[in-house]
Amino acid sequence: LIPGWPAFDWGRLLLGYPAYVSAIPVLGWQKGEGRDRLFIALEVVALWSLVDRLLIPSGRWFLRRRLNRLIDTVNRRLDVEIKPFQLTKRQVLIDRLVYDPQVVAAANDYARENKIPREAAMNEVYRYAREIVPTFNAYLYFRLGYSIARLIARLLYRVRLGYADEKTLAGVPAGTAVVFVMNHRSNMDYVLVAFLAAERTALSYAVGEWARIWPLQQLIRSMGAYFVRRNSNNPVYRRVLERYVHMATEAGVAQAMYPEGGLSRDGRLRSPKLGLLDYMLKSFDPTRGTDIVFVPVALNYDRVLEDRTLLRSLDKEAPRRGIWFALKTTFGFWFSQLGLMLTGRWYRFGYACVNFGRMVSARDWLAAHSGGSIGDLRSLDKDQRFEVVGRLADDLMAEISRIVPVLPVSLIATVLIEAEQPIDELDLKLRAGRLMEHFEARGAKLYLPRGDRDYAFHVGLRMLALRHLVETTADGLYTVVPAERPLLAYYANAIAHLR
């Protein structure tokens, strides 16, 4: 192999000459054939040993070093740093969850009630734990995920941060678990809030079962999200989920949740569901440890990508559409958008605005709403605890509803729905102006593009006209297309509670 060196018989060197020679007749090979095959096998084994013992550890060390450097850099600029819990190996978290005393007790009760072996119940626990526990990867989150979220959000919308409470802007106190509580308008909410919050923290989302498809499931789990079965009544599953939420909250992991429990179907805010909030507060110790700070977040869009699908889901008698119809509709939609781009008439999907409300400390809120006691929910039964958690959820939803952004499309849609007859442009602007003054008097958060009312009216009308929801009569009057009135009402409903 090296010029000037004597030739070596590597098989004789590595295996020993007797073993090498004796292997040839045993395997039924000819002498030359056996030497070639053994030499190839030895080369493969040696190469694998080189990769396994040298190259793989070196690669892991190199990647871990880069990852640690990224984490240090990110933590220096984040308001809420990445917690050690998020960097713990996934298998360690799974084991902690599986052998949590409360989880083991629930598995024992389940096995007894259903007359199945304890091992079968524990196997079910392990399966649930693997389903729930994420695999947070800081490099994917801040390098890949943030870049993709920013690209998609800016490609589809004119993204704006409309309003943020001064105390929220100042940041949260150290030693707190931050929970962003949001209204749920679109699946774009995940992308939009992750993009806007990435300068402050890494969010761990509670994601529904819709995302459990390959390869989306692996990507979402790597971004730190955990999956939730929305309507599961299995007591073992609910206990496993409860203990994971408690573990993450106690460790100070920043989370994001939708108290409505799902997307708004008609555009209105929905009543809150108490499951995740109860899991966070059920074992919460208000006297020591980590406080929980809820940050209300309100979103609104000039166009929700799923609007027609959401409205159709309200019609229980609507015929079920197949996968081919969905694919045809999707491709047709994007080809039409491409046509608008090529003709210079594409204005993205209007504005997407996010407002951040005032923070609510769980410790302070419980102390103020528990009759002067310390506000410890651990001693209450389920009904008493749900009553308190329900009042907190109502307060959070009230703050969210207060700061929902009033955008051009929602404003113009409200005016046209209330007019109930064709109106001219001047009348439309007068009515919209009076409506804006009404909203401002009530403390609503309006977003005016460029700070110009006339431009806001123009943007709202243009978006509705491009979608053929509004048409112009021969007399120059604006009127609602009758078949599209429910869709127009969907956008008006987004701000109806502010009236």
Side-chain angles (χ1 to χ4, degrees), residues 87-355:
L87 304 176
T88 304
K89 285 187 176 181
R90 182 168 182 257
Q91 189 58 49
V92 173
L93 296 179
I94 290 173
D95 291 340
R96 280 182 56 188
L97 187 56
V98 168
Y99 295 105
D100 180 274
Q102 294 190 34
V103 172
V104 172
N108 291 338
D109 293 341
Y110 183 76
R112 219 171 15 252
E113 292 171 3
N114 293 274
K115 298 179 180 180
I116 61 175
R118 180 182 178 278
E119 291 73 16
M122 290 303 295
N123 286 337
E124 196 167 343
V125 166
Y126 187 76
R127 178 165 59 87
Y128 291 146
R130 285 187 58 83
E131 175 186 309
I132 293 170
V133 175
T135 311
F136 179 73
N137 186 308
Y139 196 86
L140 279 178
Y141 191 98
F142 288 101
R143 287 291 184 263
L144 179 63
Y146 173 73
S147 300
I148 292 176
R150 180 178 59 184
L151 175 65
I152 293 176
R154 289 181 171 176
L155 177 66
L156 299 181
Y157 295 99
R158 293 179 172 88
V159 180
R160 300 292 185 267
L161 174 59
Y163 164 82
D165 186 82
E166 291 182 3
K167 291 185 178 179
T168 303
L169 283 176
V172 297
T176 58
V178 182
V179 181
F180 290 84
V181 186
M182 304 176 287
N183 65 318
H184 204 2
R185 293 278 290 164
S186 166
N187 286 315
M188 271 297 297
D189 297 347
Y190 297 98
V191 176
L192 194 63
V193 176
F195 159 51
L196 291 176
E199 296 297 327
R200 291 174 169 252
T201 187
L203 292 179
S204 176
Y205 275 104
V207 180
E209 292 179 278
W210 63 269
R212 293 185 60 200
I213 56 174
W214 187 91
L216 188 61
Q217 174 175 287
Q218 286 71 18
L219 177 61
I220 289 177
R221 183 173 279 134
S222 297
M223 302 288 284
Y226 59 96
F227 296 101
V228 176
R229 299 185 183 188
R230 297 291 183 187
N231 299 312
S232 175
N233 292 319
N234 186 306
V236 175
Y237 172 78
R238 299 189 74 83
R239 182 52 58 91
V240 174
L241 177 60
E242 173 199 323
R243 296 308 296 168
Y244 172 76
V245 172
H246 170 73
M247 285 167 50
T249 306
E250 190 176 47
V253 176
Q255 300 177 61
M257 59 171 290
Y258 301 100
E260 295 170 287
L263 290 167
S264 172
R265 305 290 171 175
D266 59 0
R268 298 179 184 272
L269 293 174
R270 302 172 67 180
S271 299
K273 297 183 181 298
L274 308 182
L276 285 179
L277 278 174
D278 181 58
Y279 293 162
M280 293 176 185
L281 297 171
K282 183 178 181 180
S283 302
F284 174 62
D285 185 351
T287 60
R288 60 184 178 87
T290 303
D291 188 15
I292 305 173
V293 174
F294 298 100
V295 179
V297 181
L299 307 96
N300 200 5
Y301 300 85
D302 273 338
R303 179 169 186 174
V304 174
L305 297 178
E306 312 95 323
D307 50 11
R308 295 185 187 275
T309 302
L310 293 171
L311 280 174
R312 183 179 175 79
S313 67
L314 294 174
D315 185 0
K316 303 302 181 184
E317 298 181 358
R320 186 180 178 85
R321 290 171 172 172
I323 184 65
W324 292 114
F325 180 87
L327 290 174
K328 181 181 71 172
T329 303
T330 301
F331 282 112
F333 170 76
W334 288 112
F335 274 121
S336 68
Q337 299 303 308
L338 179 61
L340 291 174
M341 292 181 192
L342 295 176
T343 57
R345 295 183 297 120
W346 194 66
Y347 298 95
R348 288 180 273 188
F349 298 132
Y351 288 90
C353 188
V354 181
N355 289 341

Side-chain angles (χ1 to χ4, degrees), residues 375-444:
D376 195 338
L377 302 183
R378 292 174 296 174
S379 59
L380 303 181
D381 61 32
K382 182 178 179 180
D383 291 338
Q384 293 173 322
R385 192 177 67 249
F386 264 59
E387 181 184 354
V388 178
V389 174
R391 280 189 277 136
L392 173 60
D394 289 340
D395 283 356
L396 292 174
M397 287 302 298
E399 176 65 7
I400 291 172
S401 66
R402 184 183 71 86
I403 61 172
V404 167
V406 178
L407 294 184
V409 166
S410 292
L411 182 72
I412 300 301
T414 300
V415 172
L416 290 171
I417 287 291
E418 292 181 351
E420 297 184 351
Q421 59 183 358
I423 58 176
D424 60 24
E425 183 173 350
L426 179 59
D427 191 16
L428 177 66
K429 290 184 176 181
L430 287 173
R431 293 184 184 218
R434 287 197 295 267
L435 186 58
M436 291 174 70
E437 292 172 358
H438 173 74
F439 283 142
E440 289 173 342
R442 299 202 57 177

Side-chain angles (χ1 to χ4, degrees), residues 417 468-471 479-489:
I417 287 291
H468 308 291
L469 306 184
V470 175
E471 60 185 8
T479 184
V480 178
V481 176
E484 301 294 358
R485 181 171 286 272
L487 189 56
L488 209 64

